[in-house]
Amino acid sequence: MINQKKILVIDDEKNIRETLSELLMFCNYEVIIAKNGLEGIESAEQQGPDLIICDIMMPELDGYEVAKRIRSNEKMAMIPFIFLSAKSSNHDFRKGLGLGADDYLIKPFSNQELIDTVAMRLERVKSIKSDSKNLKDSINNAKNIQNVILPKDDEIRKVFQKNFKIYMPRDVVSGDFFWMNEGNSHAHLAVADCTGHGVPGAMLSMVCYEKLNAVAAINKDISPGNLLTMVNGMIYDFMLSHNSEAPIRDGMDIAMCMIDHQQQALSFSGAARPLYIITEQKLEEGDLLIKHNSDGKKSLYELKGDIYSIGASNRNHVFTEQTIPIVKSDRIYLFSDGYTDQFGGEKDKKYNRLRLRNTLLSSHQLSIEEQKELLEKELNDWMGQQEQTDDITLMALEI
């Protein structure tokens, strides 16, 4: 039978194995038999049953240990698991369920009780899989919507001819986003990181994205500082309006620059995010402009952003703005904290900003496409077998 469900029976008593096997086969289930716990785990790994029925009191490996190992195996963790046992105390019951069992039948039990329990657990799995598929489809649709809204590569290339983007959502959708605005005489570029990741982060990112668009639509050449100041108030009011007694404190960190090619100038404003620039110029250092390192020809400077996030805490904050000269071949980098906060390496530590600055400066002589490839390889090598910690976005443009 094509859709025949496969049930693994683990019991050291031959009579019980045979009785359960006959009963389940009569109900059109395929049955796999295991005589003890070790054999049961091996059968589960090889056969991939749809449901496991397991005795508790067995030699070599008892049912509790079988359940523990099944649940610790990622590939088998969701298989319905039913305990059979003569042990009927509340302690035994709680222990069995605490190890991940879905049900606990006390011997002796009726045939109908067993069949009903098996059918219920299999139906529950079917329902969970259906819900999971619907949720996955919804999230994938959300990803498509998010991708439609964000600027396309060719759109960015028309405004900033030499650029690259590393955009790696941790989940299907992202709390990070990138934003661009082409004004009458200026062009903005920003990388933003909204609180959280996955669906909650993505929802907030779209709210923040549209607020940026709303302000830029009124004045396409608005300065970064004024733009962030206005959006900060809008996001703060948006959060407060939905719960005035306990306002949501989620917000957005963002690094935003505006390029004036005619005046050869860059203006920057940041909310808890910096901007890096690699240049042959000698820029005037200060509290918000720091020179980090140099290779003798070019130096890497950091333009620091304000300490406040957008919309999170201070509605009336006026974001500071810096303007510096730019020359041909300068490289500018905007990034969320996902790249630098990624765990990895031999000691399982964060990549950190110092390592990123050193990597950027040591590779700036490469073409911008080659530098992107190097940074992607560097990140993958650093991560190794580690899971991605957060959404990752890093953008660069060359003057």
Side-chain angles (χ1 to χ4, degrees):
M1 191 177 292
I2 296 175
N3 296 320
Q4 196 173 30
K5 296 298 183 182
K6 191 184 300 182
I7 297 179
L8 171 61
V9 175
I10 310 172
D11 201 302
D12 62 326
E13 294 186 32
K14 182 179 179 181
N15 291 339
I16 293 180
R17 291 197 307 269
E18 292 178 349
T19 300
L20 291 177
S21 179
E22 291 176 3
L23 176 62
L24 293 167
M25 286 190 292
F26 180 78
C27 295
N28 293 321
Y29 295 116
E30 179 184 347
V31 180
I32 309 163
I33 295 295
K35 302 173 184 176
N36 56 59
L38 290 175
E39 187 178 311
I41 291 174
E42 183 178 345
S43 295
E45 291 173 342
Q46 295 176 355
Q47 300 287 333
D50 296 293
L51 183 142
I52 297 172
I53 298 174
C54 184
D55 186 25
I56 291 180
M57 301 301 292
M58 295 184 294
E60 296 186 39
L61 200 68
D62 65 22
Y64 292 135
E65 186 62 27
V66 173
K68 183 178 179 181
R69 295 191 189 186
I70 292 291
R71 288 294 179 249
S72 65
N73 186 314
E74 184 177 344
K75 294 181 179 180
M76 301 189 293
M78 297 304 294
I79 297 175
F81 195 101
I82 300 173
F83 270 134
L84 303 181
S85 179
K87 303 178 71 172
S88 59
S89 72
N90 288 335
H91 171 75
D92 297 321
F93 186 81
R94 287 196 301 270
K95 182 176 180 180
L97 297 183
L99 288 169
D102 297 281
D103 229 316
Y104 192 110
L105 294 180
I106 300 171
K107 298 177 181 178
F109 47 82
S110 69
N111 291 347
Q112 192 61 50
E113 184 181 9
L114 175 67
I115 294 304
D116 288 347
T117 301
V118 168
M120 179 185 66
R121 290 301 166 189
L122 290 174
E123 186 63 30
R124 177 61 178 157
V125 169
K126 180 180 177 181
S127 174
I128 290 173
K129 286 182 177 179
S130 176
D131 291 344
S132 178
K133 183 181 183 302
N134 291 337
L135 178 60
K136 185 177 180 180
D137 289 344
S138 296
I139 293 175
N140 283 330
N141 287 336
K143 176 186 178 181
N144 293 334
I145 294 171
Q146 193 172 47
N147 289 340
V148 166
I149 292 173
L150 296 177
K152 307 298 181 293
D153 289 347
D154 58 346
E155 295 173 346
I156 299 173
R157 201 174 298 114
K158 287 179 183 178
V159 180
F160 303 105
Q161 185 176 6
K162 294 184 177 182
N163 75 86
F164 74 70
K165 174 180 86 268
I166 297 174
Y167 180 60
M168 298 170 54
R170 198 200 79 163
D171 303 310
V172 179
V173 289
S174 177
D176 282 8
F177 69 88
F178 45 95
W179 180 83
M180 184 186 72
N181 168 64
E182 187 175 10
N184 298 311
S185 58
H186 305 86
H188 299 85
L189 186 67
V191 167
D193 179 2
C194 294
T195 304
H197 41 73
V199 174
M203 292 178 67
L204 181 57
S205 75
M206 292 300 95
V207 172
C208 294
Y209 190 93
E210 289 308 312
K211 299 301 183 185
L212 290 169
N213 283 340
V215 174
I218 298 172
N219 181 359
K220 287 185 174 295
D221 294 315
I222 187 172
S223 69
N226 287 334
L227 198 161
L228 294 191
T229 298
M230 291 183 67
V231 170
N232 177 59
M234 295 169 71
I235 297 297
Y236 187 94
D237 290 344
F238 174 82
M239 296 298 189
L240 186 67
S241 67
H242 287 73
N243 193 341
S244 58
E245 294 182 359
I248 303 170
R249 294 306 183 189
D250 293 338
M252 170 178 66
D253 297 343
I254 185 170
M256 175 176 292
C257 67
M258 182 175 75
I259 305 295
D260 185 333
H261 288 289
Q262 291 183 348
Q263 299 297 323
Q264 288 292 284
L266 175 150
S267 297
F268 167 76
S269 186
R273 298 305 306 156
L275 174 148
Y276 290 161
I277 180 169
I278 295 178
T279 180
E280 62 185 17
Q281 303 177 87
K282 291 186 178 179
L283 300 176
E284 184 177 348
E285 296 181 66
D287 292 339
L288 299 178
L289 177 60
I290 301 170
K291 178 180 176 181
H292 282 290
N293 44 358
S294 174
D295 65 358
K297 295 182 180 180
K298 292 190 175 185
S299 302
L300 186 149
Y301 291 86
E302 176 182 356
L303 280 68
K304 302 186 71 171
D306 290 18
I307 62 172
Y308 292 108
S309 295
I310 297 291
S313 56
N314 189 336
R315 189 205 185 284
N316 299 315
H317 179 69
V318 176
F319 282 85
T320 57
E321 183 176 296
Q322 305 179 65
T323 300
I324 60 172
I326 50 176
V327 297
K328 186 176 176 61
S329 81
D330 282 354
R331 282 204 188 161
I332 297 152
Y333 303 90
L334 309 168
F335 53 97
S336 67
D337 60 5
Y339 197 112
T340 54
D341 283 355
Q342 177 59 48
F343 282 91
E346 294 180 359
K347 297 182 179 179
D348 190 23
K349 292 184 175 181
K350 290 184 179 182
Y351 189 83
N352 73 49
R353 291 191 188 184
L354 173 60
R355 187 173 281 105
L356 176 61
R357 291 194 294 265
N358 290 337
T359 301
L360 293 177
L361 187 63
S362 65
S363 60
H364 76 83
Q365 74 282 359
L366 299 174
S367 70
I368 200 158
E369 295 84 4
E370 291 172 332
Q371 189 178 45
K372 176 186 177 181
E373 292 177 2
L374 182 145
L375 287 165
E376 287 176 328
K377 184 179 186 304
E378 174 83 1
L379 179 62
N380 288 328
D381 290 346
W382 179 259
M383 288 174 62
Q385 300 300 314
Q386 290 280 0
E387 293 185 357
Q388 186 173 328
T389 307
D390 196 0
D391 299 319
I392 295 172
T393 307
L394 191 157
M395 296 191 74
L397 60 93
E398 183 174 319
I399 303 301

